[in-house]
Short mmCIF file of all heavy atoms in Angstrom, two decimals:
data_model
loop_
_atom_site.label_atom_id
_atom_site.label_comp_id
_atom_site.label_asym_id
_atom_site.label_seq_id
_atom_site.Cartn_x
_atom_site.Cartn_y
_atom_site.Cartn_z
N MET G 1 0.84 -1.18 0.00
CA MET G 1 0.00 0.00 0.00
C MET G 1 0.89 1.24 0.00
O MET G 1 1.86 1.32 0.74
CB MET G 1 -0.90 -0.01 1.24
CG MET G 1 -1.63 1.29 1.46
SD MET G 1 -2.54 1.37 3.00
CE MET G 1 -4.07 0.65 2.49
N LYS G 2 0.54 2.18 -0.83
CA LYS G 2 1.28 3.43 -0.91
C LYS G 2 0.78 4.39 0.17
O LYS G 2 -0.42 4.53 0.37
CB LYS G 2 1.11 4.05 -2.29
CG LYS G 2 1.90 5.30 -2.46
CD LYS G 2 1.72 5.88 -3.84
CE LYS G 2 2.50 7.17 -3.88
NZ LYS G 2 2.09 8.03 -4.94
N ALA G 3 1.70 5.04 0.84
CA ALA G 3 1.33 6.00 1.88
C ALA G 3 0.96 7.33 1.25
O ALA G 3 1.63 7.81 0.34
CB ALA G 3 2.48 6.18 2.85
N THR G 4 -0.14 7.91 1.72
CA THR G 4 -0.56 9.24 1.30
C THR G 4 -0.88 10.04 2.55
O THR G 4 -1.01 9.48 3.65
CB THR G 4 -1.83 9.18 0.42
OG1 THR G 4 -2.92 8.67 1.21
CG2 THR G 4 -1.62 8.33 -0.81
N VAL G 5 -1.02 11.34 2.39
CA VAL G 5 -1.39 12.19 3.52
C VAL G 5 -2.71 11.69 4.11
O VAL G 5 -2.86 11.61 5.34
CB VAL G 5 -1.49 13.67 3.07
CG1 VAL G 5 -2.12 14.53 4.15
CG2 VAL G 5 -0.12 14.21 2.69
N GLU G 6 -3.65 11.32 3.26
CA GLU G 6 -4.95 10.85 3.73
C GLU G 6 -4.81 9.55 4.54
O GLU G 6 -5.46 9.39 5.57
CB GLU G 6 -5.91 10.64 2.55
CG GLU G 6 -6.35 11.92 1.88
CD GLU G 6 -5.28 12.52 0.97
OE1 GLU G 6 -4.43 11.78 0.44
OE2 GLU G 6 -5.27 13.75 0.80
N ASN G 7 -3.96 8.62 4.05
CA ASN G 7 -3.73 7.37 4.79
C ASN G 7 -3.18 7.65 6.18
O ASN G 7 -3.58 7.01 7.15
CB ASN G 7 -2.72 6.46 4.08
CG ASN G 7 -3.20 5.92 2.77
OD1 ASN G 7 -2.57 6.19 1.77
ND2 ASN G 7 -4.27 5.17 2.75
N ILE G 8 -2.22 8.56 6.25
CA ILE G 8 -1.59 8.86 7.53
C ILE G 8 -2.61 9.49 8.47
O ILE G 8 -2.67 9.15 9.66
CB ILE G 8 -0.36 9.79 7.35
CG1 ILE G 8 0.64 9.19 6.36
CG2 ILE G 8 0.28 10.10 8.69
CD1 ILE G 8 1.09 7.78 6.67
N LYS G 9 -3.44 10.38 7.95
CA LYS G 9 -4.49 10.98 8.79
C LYS G 9 -5.47 9.91 9.28
O LYS G 9 -5.94 9.98 10.41
CB LYS G 9 -5.21 12.09 8.04
CG LYS G 9 -4.38 13.35 7.91
CD LYS G 9 -5.17 14.47 7.25
CE LYS G 9 -4.37 15.75 7.20
NZ LYS G 9 -5.14 16.85 6.60
N GLU G 10 -5.77 8.93 8.44
CA GLU G 10 -6.65 7.83 8.85
C GLU G 10 -6.03 7.06 10.02
O GLU G 10 -6.75 6.65 10.94
CB GLU G 10 -6.92 6.89 7.69
CG GLU G 10 -7.83 7.46 6.63
CD GLU G 10 -7.93 6.58 5.39
OE1 GLU G 10 -7.44 5.42 5.41
OE2 GLU G 10 -8.49 7.06 4.39
N VAL G 11 -4.74 6.84 9.97
CA VAL G 11 -4.05 6.14 11.06
C VAL G 11 -4.12 6.98 12.34
O VAL G 11 -4.35 6.44 13.42
CB VAL G 11 -2.59 5.83 10.69
CG1 VAL G 11 -1.81 5.32 11.89
CG2 VAL G 11 -2.55 4.81 9.56
N ILE G 12 -3.97 8.28 12.22
CA ILE G 12 -4.06 9.17 13.38
C ILE G 12 -5.46 9.12 13.97
O ILE G 12 -5.63 9.07 15.19
CB ILE G 12 -3.63 10.60 13.01
CG1 ILE G 12 -2.13 10.61 12.66
CG2 ILE G 12 -3.94 11.59 14.14
CD1 ILE G 12 -1.63 11.89 12.03
N VAL G 13 -6.48 9.08 13.12
CA VAL G 13 -7.87 8.94 13.59
C VAL G 13 -8.03 7.61 14.30
O VAL G 13 -8.61 7.52 15.39
CB VAL G 13 -8.87 9.07 12.42
CG1 VAL G 13 -10.26 8.61 12.84
CG2 VAL G 13 -8.90 10.48 11.90
N GLU G 14 -7.51 6.53 13.70
CA GLU G 14 -7.60 5.19 14.29
C GLU G 14 -6.90 5.14 15.66
O GLU G 14 -7.38 4.48 16.58
CB GLU G 14 -6.96 4.17 13.35
CG GLU G 14 -7.11 2.75 13.79
CD GLU G 14 -6.50 1.77 12.81
OE1 GLU G 14 -6.38 2.09 11.61
OE2 GLU G 14 -6.15 0.66 13.25
N ALA G 15 -5.79 5.87 15.79
CA ALA G 15 -5.07 5.90 17.07
C ALA G 15 -5.82 6.71 18.11
O ALA G 15 -5.52 6.62 19.30
CB ALA G 15 -3.67 6.48 16.86
N ASP G 16 -6.80 7.51 17.67
CA ASP G 16 -7.64 8.31 18.56
C ASP G 16 -6.79 9.20 19.47
O ASP G 16 -6.96 9.22 20.69
CB ASP G 16 -8.54 7.40 19.40
CG ASP G 16 -9.68 8.17 20.07
OD1 ASP G 16 -10.07 9.22 19.53
OD2 ASP G 16 -10.14 7.71 21.13
N VAL G 17 -5.87 9.96 18.85
CA VAL G 17 -4.97 10.81 19.62
C VAL G 17 -5.23 12.30 19.41
O VAL G 17 -4.60 13.13 20.06
CB VAL G 17 -3.50 10.49 19.28
CG1 VAL G 17 -3.14 9.08 19.71
CG2 VAL G 17 -3.19 10.70 17.81
N LEU G 18 -6.15 12.62 18.51
CA LEU G 18 -6.43 14.02 18.21
C LEU G 18 -7.87 14.15 17.78
O LEU G 18 -8.40 13.28 17.09
CB LEU G 18 -5.49 14.49 17.09
CG LEU G 18 -5.40 15.98 16.83
CD1 LEU G 18 -4.81 16.69 18.06
CD2 LEU G 18 -4.52 16.25 15.64
N GLY G 19 -8.50 15.24 18.18
CA GLY G 19 -9.91 15.43 17.87
C GLY G 19 -10.19 15.59 16.39
O GLY G 19 -10.94 14.82 15.81
N ASP G 20 -9.60 16.59 15.74
CA ASP G 20 -9.92 16.89 14.35
C ASP G 20 -8.67 16.87 13.50
O ASP G 20 -7.87 17.81 13.52
CB ASP G 20 -10.60 18.26 14.26
CG ASP G 20 -11.09 18.59 12.87
OD1 ASP G 20 -11.12 17.68 12.01
OD2 ASP G 20 -11.46 19.76 12.64
N VAL G 21 -8.51 15.82 12.71
CA VAL G 21 -7.32 15.70 11.86
C VAL G 21 -7.43 16.58 10.62
O VAL G 21 -6.43 16.83 9.96
CB VAL G 21 -7.02 14.24 11.45
CG1 VAL G 21 -6.67 13.40 12.64
CG2 VAL G 21 -8.15 13.66 10.67
N ASN G 22 -8.63 17.04 10.30
CA ASN G 22 -8.80 17.87 9.11
C ASN G 22 -8.06 19.20 9.23
O ASN G 22 -7.72 19.81 8.23
CB ASN G 22 -10.28 18.13 8.84
CG ASN G 22 -11.01 16.86 8.50
OD1 ASN G 22 -10.50 16.02 7.77
ND2 ASN G 22 -12.20 16.69 9.04
N GLU G 23 -7.81 19.64 10.44
CA GLU G 23 -7.10 20.90 10.66
C GLU G 23 -5.59 20.70 10.70
O GLU G 23 -4.84 21.68 10.77
CB GLU G 23 -7.56 21.53 11.98
CG GLU G 23 -9.04 21.87 12.02
CD GLU G 23 -9.43 22.91 10.97
OE1 GLU G 23 -8.68 23.88 10.79
OE2 GLU G 23 -10.48 22.73 10.33
N MET G 24 -5.12 19.45 10.64
CA MET G 24 -3.69 19.18 10.72
C MET G 24 -2.98 19.65 9.47
O MET G 24 -3.49 19.54 8.37
CB MET G 24 -3.43 17.68 10.91
CG MET G 24 -3.83 17.16 12.25
SD MET G 24 -3.32 15.45 12.46
CE MET G 24 -1.58 15.70 12.79
N LYS G 25 -1.76 20.16 9.68
CA LYS G 25 -0.92 20.57 8.57
C LYS G 25 0.10 19.46 8.34
O LYS G 25 0.67 18.93 9.28
CB LYS G 25 -0.21 21.88 8.90
CG LYS G 25 -1.20 23.02 9.04
CD LYS G 25 -0.50 24.32 9.29
CE LYS G 25 -1.49 25.42 9.17
NZ LYS G 25 -1.75 26.21 10.26
N SER G 26 0.32 19.13 7.09
CA SER G 26 1.18 17.99 6.79
C SER G 26 2.66 18.31 6.93
O SER G 26 3.48 17.40 6.95
CB SER G 26 0.89 17.46 5.38
OG SER G 26 1.16 18.45 4.42
N ASP G 27 3.01 19.60 7.04
CA ASP G 27 4.42 19.97 7.14
C ASP G 27 4.83 20.46 8.53
O ASP G 27 5.91 21.01 8.70
CB ASP G 27 4.76 21.03 6.09
CG ASP G 27 3.96 22.31 6.25
OD1 ASP G 27 2.92 22.30 6.95
OD2 ASP G 27 4.36 23.33 5.67
N VAL G 28 3.96 20.24 9.52
CA VAL G 28 4.24 20.64 10.90
C VAL G 28 4.34 19.37 11.75
O VAL G 28 3.55 18.44 11.58
CB VAL G 28 3.12 21.57 11.44
CG1 VAL G 28 3.35 21.92 12.90
CG2 VAL G 28 3.02 22.84 10.59
N ALA G 29 5.30 19.35 12.66
CA ALA G 29 5.52 18.17 13.50
C ALA G 29 4.25 17.78 14.24
O ALA G 29 3.49 18.64 14.68
CB ALA G 29 6.64 18.44 14.49
N LEU G 30 4.03 16.47 14.34
CA LEU G 30 2.85 15.97 15.06
C LEU G 30 2.82 16.51 16.48
O LEU G 30 1.75 16.88 16.98
CB LEU G 30 2.87 14.44 15.07
CG LEU G 30 2.85 13.73 13.72
CD1 LEU G 30 2.91 12.22 13.92
CD2 LEU G 30 1.64 14.11 12.91
N SER G 31 3.98 16.56 17.12
CA SER G 31 4.04 17.03 18.51
C SER G 31 3.65 18.50 18.64
O SER G 31 3.20 18.93 19.70
CB SER G 31 5.44 16.81 19.08
OG SER G 31 6.40 17.51 18.33
N GLU G 32 3.79 19.26 17.58
CA GLU G 32 3.41 20.68 17.60
C GLU G 32 1.94 20.88 17.27
O GLU G 32 1.45 22.01 17.28
CB GLU G 32 4.28 21.47 16.63
CG GLU G 32 5.74 21.51 17.03
CD GLU G 32 6.61 22.21 16.00
OE1 GLU G 32 6.07 22.97 15.18
OE2 GLU G 32 7.83 21.98 16.03
N GLN G 33 1.24 19.79 16.97
CA GLN G 33 -0.17 19.87 16.61
C GLN G 33 -1.07 19.23 17.67
O GLN G 33 -2.22 18.91 17.40
CB GLN G 33 -0.40 19.23 15.24
CG GLN G 33 0.37 19.94 14.15
CD GLN G 33 -0.01 19.47 12.78
OE1 GLN G 33 -1.12 19.77 12.31
NE2 GLN G 33 0.88 18.74 12.13
N GLY G 34 -0.51 19.03 18.85
CA GLY G 34 -1.32 18.55 19.95
C GLY G 34 -1.23 17.06 20.23
O GLY G 34 -1.98 16.54 21.05
N ILE G 35 -0.34 16.36 19.56
CA ILE G 35 -0.18 14.93 19.82
C ILE G 35 1.04 14.76 20.72
O ILE G 35 2.16 15.08 20.32
CB ILE G 35 0.01 14.13 18.50
CG1 ILE G 35 -1.21 14.35 17.60
CG2 ILE G 35 0.20 12.66 18.80
CD1 ILE G 35 -1.10 13.69 16.24
N ASP G 36 0.82 14.26 21.94
CA ASP G 36 1.94 14.13 22.87
C ASP G 36 2.83 12.94 22.51
O ASP G 36 2.50 12.13 21.64
CB ASP G 36 1.46 14.07 24.32
CG ASP G 36 0.71 12.80 24.69
OD1 ASP G 36 1.04 11.73 24.15
OD2 ASP G 36 -0.20 12.88 25.52
N SER G 37 3.97 12.86 23.16
CA SER G 37 4.99 11.87 22.78
C SER G 37 4.50 10.43 22.90
O SER G 37 4.85 9.59 22.06
CB SER G 37 6.26 12.07 23.60
OG SER G 37 5.98 11.97 24.98
N LEU G 38 3.70 10.12 23.90
CA LEU G 38 3.17 8.75 24.01
C LEU G 38 2.21 8.44 22.88
O LEU G 38 2.22 7.33 22.32
CB LEU G 38 2.46 8.56 25.35
CG LEU G 38 3.35 8.35 26.56
CD1 LEU G 38 2.51 8.28 27.83
CD2 LEU G 38 4.19 7.11 26.43
N ASP G 39 1.40 9.41 22.52
CA ASP G 39 0.46 9.20 21.42
C ASP G 39 1.19 9.08 20.08
O ASP G 39 0.76 8.34 19.21
CB ASP G 39 -0.58 10.31 21.38
CG ASP G 39 -1.57 10.22 22.52
OD1 ASP G 39 -1.75 9.12 23.06
OD2 ASP G 39 -2.17 11.26 22.87
N VAL G 40 2.29 9.81 19.92
CA VAL G 40 3.08 9.69 18.70
C VAL G 40 3.60 8.26 18.56
O VAL G 40 3.58 7.69 17.47
CB VAL G 40 4.23 10.72 18.68
CG1 VAL G 40 5.22 10.41 17.57
CG2 VAL G 40 3.69 12.13 18.52
N VAL G 41 4.02 7.66 19.66
CA VAL G 41 4.49 6.27 19.64
C VAL G 41 3.36 5.35 19.17
O VAL G 41 3.58 4.46 18.36
CB VAL G 41 5.03 5.84 21.02
CG1 VAL G 41 5.33 4.35 21.05
CG2 VAL G 41 6.28 6.64 21.36
N ASN G 42 2.15 5.59 19.67
CA ASN G 42 1.00 4.77 19.23
C ASN G 42 0.77 4.93 17.73
O ASN G 42 0.46 3.95 17.04
CB ASN G 42 -0.26 5.17 20.00
CG ASN G 42 -0.24 4.68 21.42
OD1 ASN G 42 0.43 3.70 21.74
ND2 ASN G 42 -0.96 5.36 22.28
N VAL G 43 0.90 6.14 17.22
CA VAL G 43 0.74 6.38 15.79
C VAL G 43 1.80 5.60 15.02
O VAL G 43 1.50 4.92 14.03
CB VAL G 43 0.81 7.89 15.46
CG1 VAL G 43 0.88 8.11 13.96
CG2 VAL G 43 -0.40 8.62 16.06
N TYR G 44 3.06 5.65 15.48
CA TYR G 44 4.13 4.92 14.80
C TYR G 44 3.87 3.43 14.80
O TYR G 44 4.09 2.76 13.79
CB TYR G 44 5.49 5.20 15.45
CG TYR G 44 6.01 6.61 15.26
CD1 TYR G 44 6.88 7.17 16.17
CD2 TYR G 44 5.63 7.39 14.18
CE1 TYR G 44 7.37 8.45 16.01
CE2 TYR G 44 6.10 8.68 14.02
CZ TYR G 44 6.98 9.20 14.93
OH TYR G 44 7.46 10.47 14.76
N LEU G 45 3.38 2.89 15.90
CA LEU G 45 3.08 1.46 15.97
C LEU G 45 1.99 1.07 14.97
O LEU G 45 2.08 0.04 14.30
CB LEU G 45 2.69 1.06 17.39
CG LEU G 45 3.81 1.11 18.43
CD1 LEU G 45 3.25 0.87 19.83
CD2 LEU G 45 4.91 0.12 18.11
N LEU G 46 0.96 1.90 14.88
CA LEU G 46 -0.11 1.63 13.92
C LEU G 46 0.39 1.75 12.48
O LEU G 46 -0.01 0.98 11.61
CB LEU G 46 -1.29 2.57 14.15
CG LEU G 46 -2.21 2.21 15.31
CD1 LEU G 46 -3.22 3.32 15.57
CD2 LEU G 46 -2.94 0.91 15.03
N LEU G 47 1.27 2.72 12.24
CA LEU G 47 1.85 2.87 10.90
C LEU G 47 2.64 1.62 10.53
O LEU G 47 2.54 1.12 9.40
CB LEU G 47 2.77 4.09 10.84
CG LEU G 47 2.10 5.45 10.87
CD1 LEU G 47 3.13 6.54 11.10
CD2 LEU G 47 1.33 5.70 9.59
N GLU G 48 3.44 1.13 11.46
CA GLU G 48 4.22 -0.07 11.21
C GLU G 48 3.32 -1.25 10.87
O GLU G 48 3.58 -2.01 9.94
CB GLU G 48 5.10 -0.41 12.42
CG GLU G 48 6.24 0.56 12.62
CD GLU G 48 7.08 0.24 13.85
OE1 GLU G 48 6.62 -0.48 14.75
OE2 GLU G 48 8.20 0.71 13.90
N GLU G 49 2.23 -1.37 11.61
CA GLU G 49 1.30 -2.47 11.39
C GLU G 49 0.57 -2.32 10.06
O GLU G 49 0.48 -3.27 9.27
CB GLU G 49 0.28 -2.49 12.54
CG GLU G 49 -0.73 -3.60 12.46
CD GLU G 49 -1.70 -3.53 13.63
OE1 GLU G 49 -1.26 -3.43 14.79
OE2 GLU G 49 -2.92 -3.57 13.37
N LYS G 50 0.08 -1.13 9.77
CA LYS G 50 -0.73 -0.92 8.57
C LYS G 50 0.10 -1.00 7.29
O LYS G 50 -0.36 -1.54 6.28
CB LYS G 50 -1.42 0.43 8.64
CG LYS G 50 -2.32 0.71 7.46
CD LYS G 50 -3.23 1.88 7.70
CE LYS G 50 -4.20 1.99 6.54
NZ LYS G 50 -5.42 2.63 6.90
N PHE G 51 1.33 -0.48 7.31
CA PHE G 51 2.13 -0.43 6.10
C PHE G 51 3.22 -1.50 6.05
O PHE G 51 3.96 -1.58 5.08
CB PHE G 51 2.77 0.96 5.97
CG PHE G 51 1.75 2.04 5.69
CD1 PHE G 51 1.29 2.85 6.71
CD2 PHE G 51 1.22 2.21 4.43
CE1 PHE G 51 0.34 3.83 6.49
CE2 PHE G 51 0.28 3.18 4.18
CZ PHE G 51 -0.18 3.98 5.21
N GLY G 52 3.32 -2.32 7.10
CA GLY G 52 4.28 -3.41 7.10
C GLY G 52 5.73 -2.94 7.07
O GLY G 52 6.57 -3.54 6.40
N VAL G 53 6.00 -1.84 7.77
CA VAL G 53 7.36 -1.30 7.84
C VAL G 53 7.83 -1.30 9.28
O VAL G 53 7.02 -1.40 10.20
CB VAL G 53 7.44 0.14 7.27
CG1 VAL G 53 7.07 0.18 5.81
CG2 VAL G 53 6.58 1.09 8.07
N GLN G 54 9.13 -1.19 9.44
CA GLN G 54 9.72 -1.01 10.76
C GLN G 54 10.31 0.39 10.78
O GLN G 54 11.01 0.79 9.85
CB GLN G 54 10.83 -2.03 11.00
CG GLN G 54 10.33 -3.43 11.21
CD GLN G 54 9.73 -3.62 12.60
OE1 GLN G 54 10.14 -2.98 13.55
NE2 GLN G 54 8.75 -4.49 12.71
N ILE G 55 10.01 1.14 11.84
CA ILE G 55 10.61 2.46 12.02
C ILE G 55 11.55 2.36 13.21
O ILE G 55 11.11 2.44 14.36
CB ILE G 55 9.54 3.55 12.25
CG1 ILE G 55 8.51 3.55 11.12
CG2 ILE G 55 10.22 4.92 12.38
CD1 ILE G 55 7.33 4.48 11.34
N PRO G 56 12.84 2.16 12.95
CA PRO G 56 13.79 2.03 14.06
C PRO G 56 13.90 3.34 14.85
O PRO G 56 13.66 4.42 14.32
CB PRO G 56 15.12 1.70 13.38
CG PRO G 56 14.87 1.63 11.94
CD PRO G 56 13.47 2.04 11.66
N ASP G 57 14.26 3.21 16.12
CA ASP G 57 14.36 4.38 16.99
C ASP G 57 15.24 5.46 16.39
O ASP G 57 14.95 6.65 16.51
CB ASP G 57 14.89 3.99 18.37
CG ASP G 57 13.88 3.15 19.16
OD1 ASP G 57 12.69 3.14 18.77
OD2 ASP G 57 14.29 2.52 20.14
N GLU G 58 16.32 5.06 15.73
CA GLU G 58 17.24 6.05 15.18
C GLU G 58 16.64 6.83 14.01
O GLU G 58 17.14 7.88 13.63
CB GLU G 58 18.58 5.43 14.78
CG GLU G 58 18.49 4.33 13.77
CD GLU G 58 18.38 2.94 14.37
OE1 GLU G 58 18.13 2.80 15.60
OE2 GLU G 58 18.52 1.97 13.63
N ASP G 59 15.53 6.34 13.45
CA ASP G 59 14.86 7.04 12.35
C ASP G 59 13.69 7.91 12.81
O ASP G 59 13.10 8.62 11.99
CB ASP G 59 14.35 6.04 11.31
CG ASP G 59 15.47 5.40 10.51
OD1 ASP G 59 16.63 5.83 10.66
OD2 ASP G 59 15.17 4.47 9.74
N LEU G 60 13.34 7.86 14.07
CA LEU G 60 12.16 8.59 14.54
C LEU G 60 12.27 10.09 14.31
O LEU G 60 11.26 10.75 14.04
CB LEU G 60 11.91 8.30 16.02
CG LEU G 60 11.47 6.86 16.33
CD1 LEU G 60 11.25 6.69 17.82
CD2 LEU G 60 10.22 6.49 15.56
N ALA G 61 13.46 10.65 14.38
CA ALA G 61 13.64 12.08 14.13
C ALA G 61 13.31 12.45 12.69
O ALA G 61 13.00 13.61 12.39
CB ALA G 61 15.06 12.50 14.48
N GLN G 62 13.35 11.48 11.79
CA GLN G 62 13.07 11.72 10.37
C GLN G 62 11.57 11.70 10.06
O GLN G 62 11.17 12.10 8.96
CB GLN G 62 13.74 10.66 9.51
CG GLN G 62 15.23 10.63 9.59
CD GLN G 62 15.79 9.46 8.80
OE1 GLN G 62 15.25 9.07 7.76
NE2 GLN G 62 16.85 8.87 9.31
N VAL G 63 10.76 11.22 10.97
CA VAL G 63 9.32 11.05 10.70
C VAL G 63 8.49 11.86 11.70
O VAL G 63 7.65 11.33 12.40
CB VAL G 63 8.92 9.56 10.70
CG1 VAL G 63 9.46 8.86 9.50
CG2 VAL G 63 9.38 8.85 11.97
N ARG G 64 8.71 13.15 11.69
CA ARG G 64 8.04 14.02 12.65
C ARG G 64 6.78 14.67 12.08
O ARG G 64 5.91 15.10 12.81
CB ARG G 64 9.00 15.09 13.14
CG ARG G 64 10.19 14.51 13.88
CD ARG G 64 11.17 15.59 14.26
NE ARG G 64 10.52 16.81 14.64
CZ ARG G 64 10.51 17.31 15.87
NH1 ARG G 64 11.14 16.72 16.81
NH2 ARG G 64 9.87 18.43 16.14
N THR G 65 6.69 14.79 10.76
CA THR G 65 5.53 15.42 10.12
C THR G 65 4.80 14.38 9.26
O THR G 65 5.37 13.33 8.94
CB THR G 65 5.95 16.59 9.21
OG1 THR G 65 6.68 16.07 8.10
CG2 THR G 65 6.80 17.62 9.95
N ILE G 66 3.59 14.70 8.87
CA ILE G 66 2.85 13.79 7.98
C ILE G 66 3.60 13.64 6.66
O ILE G 66 3.74 12.54 6.14
CB ILE G 66 1.41 14.29 7.77
CG1 ILE G 66 0.62 14.19 9.08
CG2 ILE G 66 0.72 13.51 6.65
CD1 ILE G 66 -0.76 14.79 9.03
N ASP G 67 4.10 14.75 6.11
CA ASP G 67 4.84 14.68 4.85
C ASP G 67 6.07 13.79 4.98
O ASP G 67 6.36 12.99 4.08
CB ASP G 67 5.28 16.08 4.40
CG ASP G 67 4.13 16.91 3.85
OD1 ASP G 67 3.07 16.34 3.51
OD2 ASP G 67 4.29 18.15 3.77
N SER G 68 6.80 13.91 6.08
CA SER G 68 8.01 13.09 6.24
C SER G 68 7.66 11.61 6.45
O SER G 68 8.40 10.73 6.02
CB SER G 68 8.89 13.61 7.38
OG SER G 68 8.23 13.53 8.62
N ILE G 69 6.51 11.35 7.06
CA ILE G 69 6.07 9.96 7.22
C ILE G 69 5.74 9.35 5.85
O ILE G 69 6.16 8.24 5.55
CB ILE G 69 4.84 9.87 8.16
CG1 ILE G 69 5.23 10.24 9.58
CG2 ILE G 69 4.23 8.47 8.11
CD1 ILE G 69 4.05 10.45 10.51
N VAL G 70 5.03 10.11 5.03
CA VAL G 70 4.69 9.64 3.67
C VAL G 70 5.98 9.34 2.90
O VAL G 70 6.10 8.29 2.27
CB VAL G 70 3.82 10.68 2.92
CG1 VAL G 70 3.70 10.33 1.44
CG2 VAL G 70 2.45 10.80 3.57
N GLU G 71 6.92 10.24 2.96
CA GLU G 71 8.19 10.05 2.24
C GLU G 71 8.95 8.85 2.79
O GLU G 71 9.50 8.07 2.03
CB GLU G 71 9.04 11.31 2.37
CG GLU G 71 10.31 11.25 1.57
CD GLU G 71 11.10 12.55 1.67
OE1 GLU G 71 10.50 13.61 1.59
OE2 GLU G 71 12.33 12.45 1.86
N TYR G 72 8.97 8.67 4.09
CA TYR G 72 9.71 7.57 4.72
C TYR G 72 9.13 6.22 4.31
O TYR G 72 9.86 5.30 3.98
CB TYR G 72 9.68 7.73 6.23
CG TYR G 72 10.52 6.72 6.96
CD1 TYR G 72 11.86 6.97 7.21
CD2 TYR G 72 9.99 5.51 7.40
CE1 TYR G 72 12.66 6.04 7.88
CE2 TYR G 72 10.77 4.58 8.06
CZ TYR G 72 12.10 4.85 8.31
OH TYR G 72 12.88 3.94 8.96
N ILE G 73 7.81 6.14 4.34
CA ILE G 73 7.15 4.86 4.03
C ILE G 73 7.23 4.61 2.55
O ILE G 73 7.49 3.53 2.09
CB ILE G 73 5.69 4.85 4.53
CG1 ILE G 73 5.67 4.88 6.04
CG2 ILE G 73 4.93 3.64 3.99
CD1 ILE G 73 4.30 4.99 6.66
#
């Protein structure tokens, strides 16, 4: 499955970590949009499950925004 901004927002909705994903900006860090660090981990776990990828700890700094997540996956 190809990652898109919409797919990533769907994962964020599924993780139930933010009220309204429609207001999210794809080029701003998740943590700056109201998703705390524990919830970001939940989002990463769901991304790994949904897209069949592994995001190693050393790569977490590279996947801070929706755009960077799409590019990474």
Side-chain angles (χ1 to χ4, degrees):
M1 170 187 273
K2 183 179 177 199
T4 64
V5 169
E6 291 77 27
N7 294 119
I8 305 306
K9 285 185 177 182
E10 288 172 10
V11 170
I12 293 169
V13 167
E14 186 178 335
D16 195 27
V17 295
L18 193 64
D20 186 12
V21 295
N22 295 319
E23 299 297 319
M24 290 187 77
K25 295 183 170 118
S26 62
D27 61 343
V28 176
L30 300 178
S31 60
E32 294 176 20
Q33 298 189 71
I35 301 176
D36 69 34
S37 58
L38 282 176
D39 289 336
V40 168
V41 171
N42 287 335
V43 170
Y44 291 154
L45 291 172
L46 282 172
L47 288 168
E48 289 178 341
E49 181 181 310
K50 182 166 186 154
F51 292 100
V53 297
Q54 289 284 330
I55 305 173
D57 291 344
E58 58 268 13
D59 289 353
L60 293 180
Q62 298 174 35
V63 289
R64 298 176 37 112
T65 68
I66 292 174
D67 286 343
S68 63
I69 292 168
V70 169
E71 185 178 316
Y72 186 88
I73 293 175

